[in-house]
Amino acid sequence: MSHPRDKGTHSSYEIGYGKPPAKGRFAKGQSGNPRGRPRKTPVKPKIIDPSIRDRFLRMAESLVQSREGQKVPISDGVRHAEAAAALKGNVQAQKHFLDRQERFTADLIAEIREDHEAWRSYIADYRKIEKAGQAIPPEWFHPDDLIFADGSHVMVRGGDPIEATRARQYLLRLRDLWLLQAEMHRRDAGPKSSVRDLPILTSEVLALLINQRLPTRLQLSDSDLFWRTLGHGGLKKRVLERQLKQAWADFGFRKTPACSPVPIEALLSKLGIDLHQLAVARARASAI
């Protein structure tokens, strides 16, 4: 009597659907595809020209007048048109426009994210070099001059690094000039009996406003202002006049301009500027 497993070798074994010949059967435990499932070929992303992308996004956000008489972005107008066209069964052009806008926007967001990550890595490297006490190349941007804003690429404060450096040096010289000029104005105003009597001068306020416009690392702190004022107060008048004359000459003035030491307390109160600490510093300097 034959065994059921030998049925495939029996002449009466019917070959058909689900019943392959014995020689063509897969052995038990053996895969019919030893190489495995073939891998799918990855679809390469389309390369987007940034200039075309940026022009398209600007166009998509430009304003047009709607039927209701309101100014709306083109993208919003297309959305409204798409809804109206959908009722008529024709949305091909609108869908193509919106799909392209979505793709370009996603590409821009990814590009901005990579830009931020690259600059943060740059800041980390800058800090490592700075901490190690090594010389930093002069053309490198200082981390304080980098502006990170959501939805936009990293910006450099002052624009071009060379022009930004020149502008900062100009402001530094101008601040120091007005601090010198303030000392001359105080002397012209004569001695005062108390801190309340000390005038707040235009030259002094200009120096402080310029100081606030400088990057934090270049600003004079309250203590720095105190020592700077103390140093100016200890200068002999002829030395002060010589330094002031040279400072104005550096800005193209052959003679020191006639600057009036006008008190501007009313202006300060409107601007919300409190110079009490500087007034105290002047009093200490004059008392020494």
Side-chain angles (χ1 to χ4, degrees):
M1 183 175 180
S2 63
H3 194 274
R5 292 184 177 179
D6 298 333
K7 194 172 183 178
T9 59
H10 197 272
S11 59
S12 63
Y13 175 62
E14 182 180 357
I15 299 174
Y17 180 79
K19 296 180 180 179
K23 293 182 179 181
R25 298 183 203 175
F26 297 124
K28 186 176 182 180
Q30 180 180 352
S31 173
N33 185 10
R35 294 185 179 182
R37 174 186 285 183
R39 295 183 180 180
K40 293 183 178 180
T41 304
V43 179
K44 295 182 179 180
K46 295 181 179 179
I47 300 176
I48 299 176
D49 186 345
S51 62
I52 297 177
R53 177 201 64 199
D54 294 341
R55 287 199 302 271
F56 181 88
L57 290 177
R58 284 195 299 269
M59 180 192 66
E61 295 304 319
S62 59
L63 299 179
V64 293
Q65 190 166 357
S66 64
R67 292 183 178 179
E68 293 77 14
Q70 298 177 345
K71 292 288 186 178
V72 297
I74 288 181
S75 56
D76 290 348
V78 171
R79 288 189 179 93
H80 290 300
E82 179 187 17
L87 297 175
K88 299 178 182 180
N90 181 12
V91 295
Q92 187 66 26
Q94 290 84 356
K95 185 177 185 303
H96 176 70
F97 182 96
L98 295 174
D99 287 347
R100 184 165 46 170
Q101 180 190 9
E102 182 179 358
R103 186 172 69 253
F104 284 176
T105 301
D107 181 75
L108 178 60
I109 292 174
E111 180 182 290
I112 291 174
R113 186 186 303 113
E114 292 179 1
D115 182 58
H116 282 219
E117 291 175 355
W119 279 109
R120 295 195 186 282
S121 177
Y122 164 85
I123 291 176
D125 294 339
Y126 188 103
R127 295 303 185 192
K128 289 180 181 178
I129 296 175
E130 189 177 45
K131 188 176 181 180
Q134 300 176 1
I136 297 176
E139 66 273 10
W140 281 32
F141 296 109
H142 193 280
D144 292 348
D145 296 332
L146 299 177
I147 303 173
F148 290 82
D150 294 337
S152 63
H153 292 82
V154 176
M155 302 292 292
V156 180
R157 199 183 310 277
D160 180 78
I162 297 177
E163 293 300 324
T165 300
R166 290 176 180 173
R168 286 193 293 269
Q169 292 298 324
Y170 180 87
L171 289 177
L172 284 171
R173 289 164 47 219
L174 193 60
R175 178 198 63 190
D176 295 344
L177 181 149
W178 284 116
L179 286 175
L180 275 174
Q181 189 67 62
E183 176 59 30
M184 182 62 75
H185 285 164
R186 280 192 291 273
R187 296 190 186 189
D188 292 341
K192 302 299 178 181
S193 58
S194 66
V195 174
R196 292 179 179 273
D197 297 330
L198 290 172
I200 300 175
L201 309 170
T202 308
S203 52
E204 198 167 48
V205 175
L206 286 173
L208 291 176
L209 292 177
I210 294 171
N211 186 60
Q212 292 174 3
R213 290 193 60 184
L214 289 166
T216 305
R217 68 183 187 278
L218 298 177
Q219 293 180 10
L220 291 176
S221 63
D222 292 340
S223 60
D224 293 332
L225 286 170
F226 167 74
W227 290 111
R228 183 70 63 89
T229 303
L230 182 64
H232 291 167
L235 293 174
K236 294 182 179 181
K237 189 172 182 178
R238 65 176 182 272
V239 177
L240 177 61
E241 290 176 344
R242 184 170 63 249
Q243 290 187 7
L244 193 56
K245 182 178 180 180
Q246 182 61 50
W248 280 111
D250 291 341
F251 282 91
F253 291 88
R254 295 184 179 181
K255 295 182 179 180
T256 303
C259 301
S260 176
V262 180
I264 53 170
E265 287 87 346
L267 175 60
L268 290 176
S269 62
K270 290 183 180 180
L271 295 176
I273 298 175
D274 182 9
L275 299 180
H276 174 71
Q277 292 182 347
L278 184 60
V280 173
R282 292 204 309 269
R284 292 176 181 174
S286 60
I288 297 177

